Amino acid sequence: MNTTTKDDFDPIPSTRHRVQVSVGSLPQAEEETGALAVPVAADAEPPAELGITSAALATAGFTGQRGQTLVQPRAEGPVRVAVGIGPGREIDAALVRDLAAEFARAVPWHRRLAIEVPSSGLGISVADFAQAVTEGVLLARWRYFLGRDADRPTLESLLIVATDEDAEQARTGVERGRIVAEACSLGRDLANCPAATLSAVRMAEIAVEAGTASGLEVEVYDKDQLIAMGCGGLLGVNRGSAQPPRMVRLRYQPEKPAGRIALIGKGIMYDSGGISLKPSDESHAQMKNDMTGAAVVLASMTALRALDCTTAVTGYLMCTDNMPSGSAMMLGDVLRMRNGTTVEVLNTDAEGRLVMADGLALAAEEPIDAIVDIATLTGACLRTFGVEIAGVVGNDPAIVEQLRRAGEAVDEPLWELPLHRSYRRQLDSPIADLTNMGGVNAGSITAALFLEEFVDGKPWAHVDIAGTAQLPEPRAWRNKGATGFGTRLLIEFALRFARPPGVSS
Ligand code: BES
Ligand code: MN
Ligand code: ZN
């Protein structure tokens, strides 16, 4: 069904094989798996399953420090993997996710893994523990690979060992973890997929398939419809492209919604910079991922029904590439956006805000409690926060705080930047309502001030994932390349969403 490109790569390979995650007993693990994780504290004797003393472990250099692993071969049965959990008994979900991932990485050739849920008193519920383990192992073993052997799964099964008493809770956690990890894998797949394979048209096709399969209503808007709707930002950026644009609207409608939110994702399938061409450096080579915002809006929404989310969510994917050509936008051109605002284009590489403007305006036309947009928007955000923290800016402290807390809960950290309105004058244009270029400094803030012009005063926050969309090195469950950052954040935000006081929609 690949109608728009010459190659036949599968853009979402991780959806082809499903890891079997289940809850079972220790004898089952002995029988059916190849590697069993055994948590070892730094200040206590190791559990009996290891059959060894802490002094003996220390002779191999293993002291139980956090993240340390030691693989112990056996004459029979699965290898034991001692996993250091550090001193003290208190652990949280982020640590469990990290350690489960370290275990999965310590035995890269084993495809059948087992982990035991420790006895209670760890400061984390059995369900949360099982969910974090499932996420950690599945995400650490995820890969995007188009070469030989691409079809061979990196993981076949994960067995969570729990007592009969804990089994029910563990199953709940496993199920949630699997849903969340699969959503995140979809986000990673899409962002890693080469731009020649994943055009805006193909992205919309995938949104229809994945969205419909997960109980969402999906509408796709083509170029003619976008013209009729007055989406001058998305159309302006698309002018230089040989590929047509697409806008996708996804709707998740629970029975009795406890609130309504809109999510808008930047879907620049490839950002060459346009006429303001980027130099051919490393950051340019990464620009196939400039659609991560759209990818993670789609990915997060595929999990909502399965997780029984009670918030109604509308998603907007703003998709086109940004290319230079004889028909491309020229510097000095003026675009009229969906809400009637005119924008003088002074740099065609500041294209993200142009496509997001139409999405924000469309979202603000509907009754809504909060608008959240997510975009690989500014190099300045990468410079400010590096690759582990995303920026958040908004006109509503409660929404910003809810996002920040959701990020904290899922270990996708956010840090707030000020919406400093005095900088708005940097966007003044002599011939239009505003320009798309701020000054040389505070680029992430002026970009947010641009976006604010399109939300019609509605409660809104903007998440800049320019830094976190990509990692140069793997770390625990975080892989090298496209990270899917934002998928788990948005799922958690939607699940927890509480209408801010005073907003009735
Ligand atoms: N997609 C880029 C932002 C980006 C840069 C993401 C590096 C990830 C890594 C965006 O479209 C862009 O080009 N922004 C410009 C804006 C400037 C021209 C106002 C930037 O940040 O340099
Ligand atoms: Mn750009
Ligand atoms: Zn861009």
Side-chain angles (χ1 to χ4, degrees):
M1 241 252 298
N2 194 345
T3 51
T4 51
T5 59
K6 288 186 280 323
D7 66 58
D8 61 352
F9 295 124
D10 181 351
I12 42 175
S14 70
T15 56
R16 274 182 309 188
H17 48 76
R18 216 158 179 242
V19 180
Q20 195 205 327
V21 193
S22 55
V23 176
S25 63
L26 197 54
Q28 202 179 333
E30 293 284 355
E31 187 92 347
E32 298 171 7
T33 70
L36 173 68
V38 181
V40 179
D43 47 11
E45 279 304 311
E49 293 97 280
L50 222 48
I52 196 170
T53 63
S54 58
L57 284 172
T59 64
F62 182 94
T63 53
Q65 293 310 309
R66 277 182 185 173
Q68 245 188 348
T69 54
L70 183 73
V71 182
Q72 205 187 17
R74 299 239 145 185
E76 256 175 66
V79 298
R80 301 293 195 262
V81 183
V83 180
I85 62 171
R89 294 278 296 162
E90 285 286 300
I91 52 177
D92 62 10
L95 179 62
V96 172
R97 201 182 291 110
D98 278 354
L99 296 182
E102 295 303 351
F103 159 58
R105 289 194 192 281
V107 282
W109 306 114
H110 286 85
R111 297 210 158 72
R112 304 181 73 82
L113 308 181
I115 298 187
E116 195 170 0
V117 178
S119 51
S120 57
L122 288 174
I124 181 173
S125 73
V126 170
D128 286 350
F129 185 95
Q131 177 174 352
V133 162
T134 306
E135 291 176 7
V137 171
L138 264 50
L139 291 175
R141 281 299 180 89
W142 171 93
R143 69 166 184 173
Y144 188 86
F145 187 62
L146 302 176
R148 294 188 190 95
D149 268 359
D151 276 334
R152 216 169 56 183
T154 57
L155 181 65
E156 283 164 26
S157 67
L158 170 65
L159 182 69
I160 310 279
V161 175
T163 61
D164 288 347
E165 215 172 47
D166 288 342
E168 194 53 42
Q169 265 216 58
R171 258 182 229 112
T172 306
V174 159
E175 184 56 15
R176 296 174 75 83
R178 203 181 46 71
I179 292 161
V180 169
E182 282 176 6
C184 185
S185 300
L186 171 63
R188 289 178 177 184
D189 277 9
L190 291 169
N192 263 303
C193 185
T197 295
L198 192 54
S199 61
V201 170
R202 188 86 181 92
M203 179 77 173
E205 289 171 0
I206 292 170
V208 170
E209 282 164 36
T212 311
S214 51
L216 307 174
E217 187 194 311
V218 191
E219 301 160 279
V220 177
Y221 296 83
D222 67 14
K223 185 170 174 177
D224 289 340
Q225 290 166 302
L226 290 164
I227 291 170
M229 291 162 76
C231 291
L234 183 54
L235 289 163
V237 175
N238 181 251
R239 253 169 44 194
S241 178
Q243 306 281 342
R246 286 291 185 267
M247 201 268 286
V248 181
R249 179 156 47 205
L250 306 150
R251 287 189 201 276
Y252 168 68
Q253 186 68 33
E255 291 229 328
K256 286 199 195 88
R260 298 183 177 280
I261 62 175
L263 305 175
I264 297 108
K266 171 175 171 180
I268 299 297
M269 311 314 293
Y270 180 66
D271 183 10
S272 71
I275 291 298
S276 313
L277 192 65
K278 288 182 184 293
S280 286
D281 59 12
E282 218 178 300
S283 77
H284 188 164
Q286 167 186 320
M287 284 302 139
K288 66 175 183 181
N289 84 1
D290 210 21
M291 34 59 74
T292 301
V296 303
V297 167
L298 170 62
S300 62
M301 287 187 70
T302 63
L304 298 178
R305 191 165 296 282
L307 294 174
D308 279 329
C309 178
T310 56
T311 311
V313 183
T314 307
Y316 297 82
L317 317 182
M318 311 305 293
C319 302
T320 176
D321 39 24
N322 181 27
M323 298 293 279
S325 81
S327 61
M329 271 193 309
M330 296 171 277
L331 304 197
D333 281 356
V334 175
L335 306 175
R336 188 185 303 279
M337 320 302 263
R338 166 72 188 182
N339 74 349
T341 301
T342 56
V343 177
E344 184 187 11
V345 177
L346 293 183
N347 189 322
T348 62
D349 199 10
E351 85 298 339
R353 62 197 75 184
L354 300 176
V355 306
M356 296 301 274
D358 289 331
L360 290 165
L362 285 165
E365 289 167 20
E366 302 203 359
I368 207 83
D369 300 316
I371 300 174
V372 172
D373 78 79
I374 184 158
T376 46
L377 204 64
T378 62
C381 189
L382 168 62
R383 295 270 171 276
T384 306
F385 293 120
V387 296
E388 293 186 9
I389 301 166
V392 57
V393 199
N395 64 3
D396 185 298
I399 305 293
V400 170
E401 182 58 14
Q402 286 187 48
L403 277 166
R404 213 192 51 71
R405 291 221 180 126
E408 204 168 70
V410 300
D411 206 7
E412 290 190 344
L414 302 183
W415 202 272
E416 186 178 5
L417 288 167
L419 190 67
H420 190 62
R421 294 207 172 85
S422 149
Y423 291 167
R424 167 60 180 80
R425 63 177 181 273
Q426 295 183 32
L427 300 169
D428 285 347
S429 159
I431 66 162
D433 292 318
L434 72 167
T435 79
N436 72 333
M437 264 293 275
V440 287
N441 298 318
S444 304
I445 296 171
T446 52
L449 286 162
F450 181 98
L451 298 179
E452 194 196 10
E453 299 284 318
F454 300 91
V455 301
D456 195 23
K458 301 275 167 71
W460 152 80
H462 152 68
V463 181
D464 195 331
I465 52 170
T468 55
Q470 193 91 8
L471 267 189
E473 292 305 331
R475 186 165 68 86
W477 51 273
R478 305 155 191 87
N479 59 292
K480 180 180 162 85
T483 56
F485 187 107
T487 309
R488 293 168 51 256
L489 167 76
L490 293 177
I491 292 173
E492 189 67 20
F493 175 73
L495 289 176
R496 297 174 167 217
F497 182 73
R499 215 178 283 212
V503 178
S504 55
S505 91

